[in-house]
Each structure stands twice: as C-alpha cells, then as structure tokens.
Amino acid sequence: MISAAPRHGELSDFLTLTDGLSIARVAEALRCCTRTIRNYVAGRSPIPWHRIELLRLLKRETAAAPAETRPDDSDVGLTANIEPDPAAPDVPPAELLAWVGVHAPHFLSSQRSFALYVRGWNVVDKIRRAKREGTFADVLVRWRVLALEIPKSWRSGRLLKDNGPPAYHR
C-alpha cells in the first residue's frame, strides 16, 4: 500500500517558517492574497501542503545564499541616528538597530526607549553571542523585511507623538 502525500500542512510548521515576516510579505512570497494568509493563521482555512514546502524552499535558499550575494545593511533604507557605543566598537549602530527592530520593534519609537532597551536587555552581548553561534545572519535577513514594514505602520498614531525622534531615519 502506497501512502498518499499529505493534503494539508500543520499550522505550527507554517508559523515557524514565517516567523518574523509580515502577512503582506508571506502573501507576496506565496503569491496569494493577505486574506488567505490571515485565514491560515486563524485556522479558518487548511494550509495546502505545497505552501509549507514552498516556504521551506525559500528559507533554505535564503540560508544557503553566500554572504557576497546577500544585500548589505545599507539597502534597508533605514539608518540608525544613534551614536556608536565606545565600549562596544565591534557592534555598530546598524546592528543594534537591526536587533531591536527584529526582537522589539516598539522600542524604535524614540531614541530614549531604544537606549533603555539596549542597555536594560544587554543587547550588545546578545549580538556578540548570536555572531559566535552564527545566528545573527538570520536576524539581518528578517530585519531587511521588517525595515520596509515598520515605517509604514508608524506614519500615524501615538507612537511618534510626543516621544521625540525615532531611533532611525530614512
């Protein structure tokens, strides 16, 4: 008896493979509408197995791309407007910005909240550890996607009101 290929993927696999990506970016990668992705995440629609496999292939391609072909930090369009930390010359402001943008983007709303997060959560040591373990490249890949989405979400609303300048500028 030959076992048939599964018809539907698991939500846990889908969420793992799309971690850190916006719904719009996932929809673009899968060439479908954002409503479809929202239905998958909410459990209203089953996830076709081929969508999971496509996400796996895309993730593998991104991880296998040599460093020379990966875009550098200057192509994200956002620049940190914070001073480099003299105690950590090996961690430039662009890397701090990427780390905070991926792990706690709401702390990018002002320089003050950004500095408090970096100091309070010891981000410099976390970046150094991620570089040693080889996981920091994943943070940079996710940041390149999020850097396009974050400014769009902050154009209006309370995040920029009376907080001072954000921790980055276009």
Side-chain angles (χ1 to χ4, degrees):
M1 177 182 235
I2 299 173
S3 66
R7 292 182 61 182
H8 303 294
E10 296 291 325
L11 179 61
S12 60
D13 292 337
F14 185 80
L15 293 175
T16 300
L17 292 168
T18 60
D19 184 37
L21 296 177
S22 68
I23 288 177
R25 178 67 181 112
V26 174
E28 180 183 319
L30 294 177
R31 299 186 190 279
C32 64
C33 66
T34 56
R35 179 174 288 180
T36 301
I37 303 302
R38 284 192 201 101
N39 287 340
Y40 292 162
V41 173
R44 291 186 293 261
S45 297
I47 305 167
W49 66 270
H50 67 275
R51 303 259 170 149
I52 302 285
E53 292 306 315
L54 181 59
L55 287 171
R56 279 195 183 105
L57 289 172
L58 291 172
K59 189 164 190 150
R60 190 175 296 153
E61 275 181 11
T62 303
E68 300 86 42
T69 61
R70 289 184 185 162
D72 60 359
D73 293 338
S74 62
D75 69 345
V76 296
L78 300 179
T79 308
N81 62 3
I82 53 173
E83 296 298 319
D85 186 0
D90 58 326
V91 181
E95 291 179 357
L96 290 170
L97 181 66
W99 183 274
V100 175
V102 167
H103 292 95
H106 49 284
F107 283 99
L108 294 178
S109 62
S110 72
Q111 288 182 350
R112 182 176 179 268
S113 65
F114 178 81
L116 289 173
Y117 181 81
V118 168
R119 189 176 33 233
W121 287 95
N122 205 2
V123 172
V124 171
D125 287 340
K126 290 180 180 184
I127 291 173
R128 288 175 179 154
R129 184 173 56 243
K131 286 180 178 179
R132 275 194 313 270
E133 295 171 357
T135 58
F136 191 67
D138 294 336
V139 171
L140 293 177
V141 169
R142 287 177 31 201
W143 172 240
R144 287 184 192 99
V145 174
L146 289 173
L148 300 173
E149 300 293 325
I150 288 174
K152 292 177 190 174
S153 67
W154 286 1
R155 286 189 181 141
S156 63
R158 298 181 47 124
L159 283 174
L160 292 179
K161 189 175 182 181
D162 300 322
N163 285 10
Y168 64 88
H169 57 80
R170 266 225 174 274

